[in-house]
mmCIF file of all heavy atoms in Angstrom:
data_model
loop_
_atom_site.group_PDB
_atom_site.id
_atom_site.type_symbol
_atom_site.label_atom_id
_atom_site.label_comp_id
_atom_site.label_asym_id
_atom_site.label_seq_id
_atom_site.Cartn_x
_atom_site.Cartn_y
_atom_site.Cartn_z
ATOM 1 N N THR A 204 36.656 38.653 55.143
ATOM 2 C CA THR A 204 37.298 37.442 54.492
ATOM 3 C C THR A 204 36.359 36.530 53.743
ATOM 4 O O THR A 204 36.437 36.129 52.760
ATOM 5 C CB THR A 204 38.123 36.721 55.510
ATOM 6 O OG1 THR A 204 38.804 37.653 56.419
ATOM 7 C CG2 THR A 204 39.213 35.785 54.809
ATOM 8 N N SER A 224 29.954 27.305 28.337
ATOM 9 C CA SER A 224 28.860 27.720 27.409
ATOM 10 C C SER A 224 29.560 28.287 26.144
ATOM 11 O O SER A 224 29.109 27.895 24.963
ATOM 12 C CB SER A 224 27.831 28.603 27.917
ATOM 13 O OG SER A 224 28.498 29.816 28.292
ATOM 14 N N SER A 227 30.998 25.165 24.330
ATOM 15 C CA SER A 227 29.891 24.361 23.718
ATOM 16 C C SER A 227 29.170 25.066 22.510
ATOM 17 O O SER A 227 28.723 24.395 21.613
ATOM 18 C CB SER A 227 28.921 23.904 24.674
ATOM 19 O OG SER A 227 27.949 24.789 24.856
ATOM 20 N N LYS A 228 29.221 26.377 22.532
ATOM 21 C CA LYS A 228 28.660 27.047 21.401
ATOM 22 C C LYS A 228 29.402 26.760 20.093
ATOM 23 O O LYS A 228 28.795 26.470 19.105
ATOM 24 C CB LYS A 228 28.626 28.591 21.618
ATOM 25 C CG LYS A 228 27.209 29.155 21.787
ATOM 26 C CD LYS A 228 27.302 30.570 22.114
ATOM 27 C CE LYS A 228 25.988 31.096 22.868
ATOM 28 N NZ LYS A 228 26.261 32.372 23.517
ATOM 29 N N ARG A 237 27.824 19.397 10.911
ATOM 30 C CA ARG A 237 28.258 18.042 10.384
ATOM 31 C C ARG A 237 27.043 17.002 10.374
ATOM 32 O O ARG A 237 26.827 16.207 9.456
ATOM 33 C CB ARG A 237 29.165 17.425 11.452
ATOM 34 C CG ARG A 237 30.681 18.013 11.341
ATOM 35 C CD ARG A 237 31.547 17.882 12.524
ATOM 36 N NE ARG A 237 31.719 16.473 12.760
ATOM 37 C CZ ARG A 237 32.323 16.087 13.959
ATOM 38 N NH1 ARG A 237 32.453 16.874 14.851
ATOM 39 N NH2 ARG A 237 32.553 14.714 14.103
ATOM 40 N N ILE A 241 24.854 15.118 6.794
ATOM 41 C CA ILE A 241 24.385 13.731 6.792
ATOM 42 C C ILE A 241 22.906 13.629 6.404
ATOM 43 O O ILE A 241 22.571 12.819 5.639
ATOM 44 C CB ILE A 241 24.631 13.024 8.171
ATOM 45 C CG1 ILE A 241 26.114 13.017 8.634
ATOM 46 C CG2 ILE A 241 24.097 11.566 8.049
ATOM 47 C CD1 ILE A 241 27.061 12.063 7.801
ATOM 48 N N LYS A 253 21.940 22.153 20.960
ATOM 49 C CA LYS A 253 22.160 23.105 21.997
ATOM 50 C C LYS A 253 22.853 22.418 23.230
ATOM 51 O O LYS A 253 22.288 21.343 23.751
ATOM 52 C CB LYS A 253 20.717 23.569 22.501
ATOM 53 C CG LYS A 253 20.667 25.081 22.807
ATOM 54 C CD LYS A 253 19.347 25.505 22.986
ATOM 55 C CE LYS A 253 19.281 27.021 22.903
ATOM 56 N NZ LYS A 253 17.931 27.608 22.923
ATOM 57 N N GLU A 254 24.017 22.798 23.391
ATOM 58 C CA GLU A 254 24.896 22.220 24.476
ATOM 59 C C GLU A 254 24.970 20.781 24.296
ATOM 60 O O GLU A 254 24.759 19.932 25.301
ATOM 61 C CB GLU A 254 24.303 22.622 25.931
ATOM 62 C CG GLU A 254 24.519 24.144 26.198
ATOM 63 C CD GLU A 254 23.740 24.703 27.389
ATOM 64 O OE1 GLU A 254 23.443 23.898 28.284
ATOM 65 O OE2 GLU A 254 23.446 25.814 27.523
ATOM 66 N N GLY A 261 10.952 17.742 11.632
ATOM 67 C CA GLY A 261 10.490 17.688 10.292
ATOM 68 C C GLY A 261 9.476 16.418 10.057
ATOM 69 O O GLY A 261 9.062 15.787 11.071
ATOM 70 N N ASN A 264 8.532 9.732 5.551
ATOM 71 C CA ASN A 264 7.406 8.991 5.091
ATOM 72 C C ASN A 264 7.316 7.597 5.815
ATOM 73 O O ASN A 264 6.425 6.803 5.615
ATOM 74 C CB ASN A 264 7.622 8.697 3.529
ATOM 75 C CG ASN A 264 7.202 9.901 2.757
ATOM 76 O OD1 ASN A 264 6.353 10.748 3.279
ATOM 77 N ND2 ASN A 264 7.978 10.160 1.706
ATOM 78 N N ARG A 269 12.766 7.391 9.959
ATOM 79 C CA ARG A 269 12.882 8.296 11.137
ATOM 80 C C ARG A 269 13.978 7.729 12.035
ATOM 81 O O ARG A 269 14.797 8.512 12.556
ATOM 82 C CB ARG A 269 11.472 8.263 11.897
ATOM 83 C CG ARG A 269 11.379 9.063 13.124
ATOM 84 C CD ARG A 269 10.014 8.945 13.735
ATOM 85 N NE ARG A 269 9.901 9.716 15.015
ATOM 86 C CZ ARG A 269 10.270 9.202 16.242
ATOM 87 N NH1 ARG A 269 10.693 8.073 16.256
ATOM 88 N NH2 ARG A 269 10.171 10.050 17.202
ATOM 89 N N ILE A 272 17.582 8.224 10.565
ATOM 90 C CA ILE A 272 18.116 9.549 10.585
ATOM 91 C C ILE A 272 18.654 9.723 12.043
ATOM 92 O O ILE A 272 19.736 10.381 12.207
ATOM 93 C CB ILE A 272 16.992 10.512 10.307
ATOM 94 C CG1 ILE A 272 16.698 10.483 8.804
ATOM 95 C CG2 ILE A 272 17.589 11.912 10.683
ATOM 96 C CD1 ILE A 272 15.580 11.289 8.416
ATOM 97 N N GLU A 273 17.928 9.262 13.067
ATOM 98 C CA GLU A 273 18.323 9.409 14.446
ATOM 99 C C GLU A 273 19.645 8.673 14.633
ATOM 100 O O GLU A 273 20.649 9.301 15.290
ATOM 101 C CB GLU A 273 17.303 8.829 15.407
ATOM 102 C CG GLU A 273 17.680 8.922 16.899
ATOM 103 C CD GLU A 273 16.697 8.391 17.767
ATOM 104 O OE1 GLU A 273 15.369 8.410 17.496
ATOM 105 O OE2 GLU A 273 17.040 7.963 18.855
ATOM 106 N N SER A 275 21.943 7.902 12.419
ATOM 107 C CA SER A 275 23.017 8.456 11.617
ATOM 108 C C SER A 275 23.492 9.801 12.301
ATOM 109 O O SER A 275 24.711 10.159 12.226
ATOM 110 C CB SER A 275 22.875 8.612 10.180
ATOM 111 O OG SER A 275 21.688 9.350 10.034
ATOM 112 N N ASN A 289 14.394 13.214 19.064
ATOM 113 C CA ASN A 289 13.874 12.876 17.827
ATOM 114 C C ASN A 289 12.348 13.345 17.641
ATOM 115 O O ASN A 289 11.398 12.741 18.097
ATOM 116 C CB ASN A 289 13.964 11.360 17.434
ATOM 117 C CG ASN A 289 13.667 11.078 15.978
ATOM 118 O OD1 ASN A 289 13.123 12.011 15.267
ATOM 119 N ND2 ASN A 289 14.132 9.960 15.580
ATOM 120 N N THR A 297 -0.962 7.103 2.528
ATOM 121 C CA THR A 297 -2.303 6.920 2.067
ATOM 122 C C THR A 297 -2.314 6.136 0.673
ATOM 123 O O THR A 297 -1.326 6.230 0.022
ATOM 124 C CB THR A 297 -3.012 8.282 1.840
ATOM 125 O OG1 THR A 297 -2.148 9.134 0.957
ATOM 126 C CG2 THR A 297 -3.232 9.117 3.054
ATOM 127 N N LYS A 310 -17.587 0.831 -13.860
ATOM 128 C CA LYS A 310 -16.721 -0.297 -13.824
ATOM 129 C C LYS A 310 -17.210 -1.411 -13.167
ATOM 130 O O LYS A 310 -16.994 -2.688 -13.344
ATOM 131 C CB LYS A 310 -15.294 0.188 -13.166
ATOM 132 C CG LYS A 310 -14.534 1.051 -14.049
ATOM 133 C CD LYS A 310 -13.384 1.694 -13.270
ATOM 134 C CE LYS A 310 -12.489 2.552 -14.170
ATOM 135 N NZ LYS A 310 -11.524 3.319 -13.548
ATOM 136 N N VAL A 312 -20.486 -2.360 -13.288
ATOM 137 C CA VAL A 312 -21.192 -2.989 -14.270
ATOM 138 C C VAL A 312 -20.450 -4.083 -15.015
ATOM 139 O O VAL A 312 -20.713 -5.202 -15.215
ATOM 140 C CB VAL A 312 -21.842 -2.018 -15.259
ATOM 141 C CG1 VAL A 312 -22.459 -2.764 -16.395
ATOM 142 C CG2 VAL A 312 -22.909 -1.149 -14.522
ATOM 143 N N GLN A 346 -12.264 -10.260 -6.023
ATOM 144 C CA GLN A 346 -11.003 -9.789 -6.652
ATOM 145 C C GLN A 346 -11.407 -8.725 -7.685
ATOM 146 O O GLN A 346 -10.749 -7.644 -7.841
ATOM 147 C CB GLN A 346 -10.448 -10.967 -7.245
ATOM 148 C CG GLN A 346 -9.592 -12.000 -6.421
ATOM 149 C CD GLN A 346 -9.009 -12.977 -7.006
ATOM 150 O OE1 GLN A 346 -9.365 -13.586 -8.069
ATOM 151 N NE2 GLN A 346 -7.893 -13.602 -6.419
ATOM 152 N N GLU A 362 -26.122 -13.767 -0.001
ATOM 153 C CA GLU A 362 -26.440 -15.214 0.540
ATOM 154 C C GLU A 362 -25.552 -16.225 -0.276
ATOM 155 O O GLU A 362 -25.665 -16.360 -1.474
ATOM 156 C CB GLU A 362 -27.930 -15.430 0.249
ATOM 157 C CG GLU A 362 -28.480 -16.870 1.015
ATOM 158 C CD GLU A 362 -29.772 -17.159 0.448
ATOM 159 O OE1 GLU A 362 -30.538 -16.298 0.137
ATOM 160 O OE2 GLU A 362 -30.003 -18.313 0.390
#
Side-chain angles (χ1 to χ4, degrees):
Chain A
T204 323
S224 63
S227 87
K228 246 177 206 163
R237 283 163 66 197
I241 299 283
K253 223 169 197 178
E254 290 169 27
N264 290 323
R269 183 180 177 273
I272 292 170
E273 180 181 331
S275 54
N289 193 343
T297 54
K310 287 173 174 166
V312 168
Q346 284 180 335
E362 188 193 326

